[in-house]
């Protein structure tokens, strides 16, 4: 089964991550599994837990931190403001073209085309090549979502090479990765965030009534519906991580989505509360490898969510949700809503 084939098992609901438990070694994965917030935080801050199990000299940390700084500089607050001025009116234009009167799949009709347009604007890609770029980005993204499906990995490597080649004139560092994240990862996150809102009509109504709540609401949506279920690390030395000892070379799986539902960190963690002022959500990781695109995603996701909250209502005929993706990312395949009549 490929990662974009809808999966119909409710047990796979990404908004119901596994409960956080004490760290344990899972022989079936040959890895430590870490899910409590305090343990995941300690792991993310531990420099000897590395992104790959390649020898130290191969994983060049100097180059990695230079690229990080360059990317962060390219995504400055001033640039974000410039992009927001372009993508906000575009969102309203797209929605204004949609037909009223019957349920609309807002992922297919709005989130995906708007996210693709956003990726084109941010990377400065050639608009006439947007569809080809989107198709390549989709292959890369599906392989990331479901690393266990080896058939996706080969196609993704080829797609990635072509994507980088097509975007070689972009002024944005790592433009291929940026294009994938904006055109693919962003709409998948929006799918889960909006599903969370549709499942909590009282919170949706609150955000509609109090649009200034958006920055706080977005943090809560990232905590509750953040897309990345897990990330991996490899131990560069035998080390103690709180209660456990991890041998050199061991693999460590960090369940970010579970950590974001840890009652020790977030009281009543399974409740979506858009007024929550929670410290420490881990949707973008933290520490030396924290996501450099976090501010861009916060801005873009807030723009799109504001439009959806203003212009759409939950449809009384929501079909059962189907899931796409795999063990790393999983998202709602479609979301049907109704356009609100303007007053
Ligand atoms: C909804 C969209 C996104 C999600 C859910 C997401 C999530 C994450 C997470 C969880 C990490 C930490 C990985 C780890 O510690 O192993 C990460 C790292 C990273 N993200 Fe994102 N990200 C998103 C969008 C973006 C965008 C738009 C960019 C573009 C600049 C980006 C660039 C990066 C980079 C370069 C890293 C690695 C940083 C490093 O290793 O130093 N991400 N992302």
């Amino acid at each position: 089964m490929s990662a974009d084939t809808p999966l119909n098992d409710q047990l796979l609901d990404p908004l119901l991550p596994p409960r956080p438990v004490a760290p344990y070694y899972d022989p079936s994965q040959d890895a430590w599994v870490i899910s409590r917030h305090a343990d995941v935080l300690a792991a993310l801050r531990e420099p000897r837990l590395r992104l790959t199990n390649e020898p130290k000299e191969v994983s060049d940390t100097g180059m990695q931190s230079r690229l990080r700084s360059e990317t962060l500089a390219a995504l400055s607050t001033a640039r974000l403001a410039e992009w927001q001025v372009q993508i906000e009116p575009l969102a309203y234009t797209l929605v204004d073209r949609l037909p009223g009167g019957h349920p609309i799949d807002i992922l297919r009709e709005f989130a995906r085309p708007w996210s693709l347009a956003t990726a084109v604007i941010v990377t400065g890609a050639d608009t006439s090549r947007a569809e080809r770029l989107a198709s390549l980005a989709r292959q890369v993204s599906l392989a990331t979502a479901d690393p266990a499906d080896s058939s996706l990995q080969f196609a993704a490597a080829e797609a990635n090479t072509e994507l980088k080649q097509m975007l070689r004139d972009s002024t944005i560092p790592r433009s291929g990765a940026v294009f994938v994240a904006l055109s693919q990862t962003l709409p998948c996150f929006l799918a889960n965030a909006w599903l969370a809102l549709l499942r909590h009509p009282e919170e949706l109504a609150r955000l509609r009534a109090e649009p200034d709540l958006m920055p706080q609401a977005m943090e809560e949506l990232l905590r509750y519906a953040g897309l990345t279920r897990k990330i991996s690390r490899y131990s560069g030395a035998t080390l103690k991580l709180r209660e456990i000892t991890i041998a050199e070379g061991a693999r460590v799986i960090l369940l970010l989505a579970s950590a974001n539902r840890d009652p020790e960190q977030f009281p009543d963690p399974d409740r979506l509360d858009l007024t929550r002022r929670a410290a420490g959500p881990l949707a973008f990781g933290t520490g030396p490898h924290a996501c450099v695109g976090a501010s861009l995603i916060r801005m873009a996701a807030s723009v799109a969510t504001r439009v959806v909250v203003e212009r759409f209502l939950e449809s009384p005929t929501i079909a059962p949700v189907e899931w796409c993706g795999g063990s790393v990312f999983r998202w709602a395949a479609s979301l049907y809503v109704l356009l609100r009549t303007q007053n």
Side-chain angles (χ1 to χ4, degrees):
M1 185 182 300
S2 84
D4 59 349
T5 309
L7 312 160
N8 238 335
D9 188 340
Q10 292 303 306
L11 291 173
L12 296 173
D13 188 332
L15 301 187
L16 298 172
R19 296 256 160 247
V21 293
Y24 62 94
Y25 184 78
D26 178 0
S28 69
Q29 303 189 75
D30 191 16
W32 283 96
V33 179
I34 298 192
S35 55
R36 291 186 307 202
H37 188 276
D39 297 322
V40 172
L41 197 60
L44 288 170
R45 288 177 175 162
E46 170 52 76
R48 292 170 295 173
L49 287 179
R50 306 202 312 243
L51 291 179
T52 69
N53 56 358
E54 290 164 0
K56 219 178 202 137
E57 17 340 324
V58 178
S59 58
D60 182 342
T61 48
M63 190 163 94
Q64 193 256 345
S65 63
R66 207 166 41 251
L67 201 48
R68 253 189 95 77
S69 316
E70 284 171 16
T71 312
L72 284 167
L75 307 181
S76 63
T77 313
R79 291 304 293 281
L80 295 194
E82 283 169 28
W83 291 324
Q84 182 166 352
V85 169
Q86 298 177 63
I87 64 177
E88 206 157 42
L90 190 64
Y92 285 103
T93 306
L94 269 175
V95 167
D96 287 342
R97 285 191 199 140
L98 295 175
H102 61 85
I104 298 167
D105 176 5
I106 32 166
L107 304 182
R108 195 181 60 204
E109 305 295 341
F110 172 54
R112 290 207 168 272
W114 176 81
S115 298
L116 176 57
T118 299
V120 168
I121 288 169
V122 169
T123 57
D126 178 348
T127 318
S128 69
R129 307 182 85 187
E131 287 309 320
R132 178 66 189 153
L133 287 166
S135 152
L136 295 168
R138 186 159 177 74
Q139 291 179 59
V140 175
S141 173
L142 290 174
T144 308
D146 192 5
D149 186 338
S150 53
S151 66
L152 296 172
Q153 310 305 319
F154 181 71
E158 290 206 326
N160 208 10
T161 306
E162 188 180 340
L163 192 64
K164 281 188 193 157
Q165 174 67 14
M166 284 176 75
L167 291 168
R168 64 189 178 282
D169 295 333
S170 173
T171 55
I172 304 289
R174 308 190 212 225
S175 50
V178 176
F179 198 93
V180 173
L182 287 172
S183 68
Q184 311 298 317
T185 325
L186 172 60
C188 295
F189 164 61
L190 292 175
N192 290 358
W194 297 344
L195 174 63
L197 284 176
L198 293 171
R199 284 177 174 175
H200 296 83
E202 67 301 337
E203 291 299 285
L204 177 58
R206 193 207 296 249
L207 190 52
R208 191 173 287 137
E210 299 173 54
D212 290 348
L213 207 55
M214 185 57 81
Q216 214 171 317
M218 186 48 62
E219 291 314 300
E220 174 68 346
L221 289 169
L222 284 162
R223 181 192 73 83
Y224 186 93
L227 191 63
T228 312
R229 296 164 63 78
K230 63 179 187 183
I231 56 179
S232 288
R233 292 289 189 266
Y234 297 85
S235 186
T238 297
L239 58 93
K240 193 150 168 50
L241 189 80
R242 302 187 80 224
E243 299 149 17
I244 59 169
T245 301
I246 302 175
E248 181 172 0
R251 183 175 172 223
V252 180
I253 297 172
L254 307 177
L255 301 186
L256 296 185
S258 300
N260 275 340
R261 299 290 187 95
D262 188 336
E264 295 290 319
Q265 182 72 16
F266 309 106
D268 201 358
D270 295 325
R271 193 159 73 88
L272 179 75
D273 174 1
L274 301 184
T275 63
R276 192 189 286 269
R277 290 188 181 275
L282 297 173
F284 292 118
T286 192
H289 297 292
C291 180
V292 292
S295 306
L296 174 57
I297 292 298
R298 284 189 172 95
M299 180 277 283
S302 300
V303 165
T305 301
R306 188 170 302 119
V307 175
V308 164
V309 169
E310 273 177 26
R311 296 293 175 90
F312 294 101
L313 286 175
E314 51 278 32
S315 162
T317 57
I318 303 179
V321 178
E322 293 182 329
W323 310 116
C324 287
S327 61
V328 172
F329 298 159
R330 194 173 301 144
W331 62 94
S334 55
L335 278 187
Y336 284 89
V337 294
L338 288 171
L339 264 177
R340 292 176 83 199
T341 36
Q342 299 293 304
N343 34 12

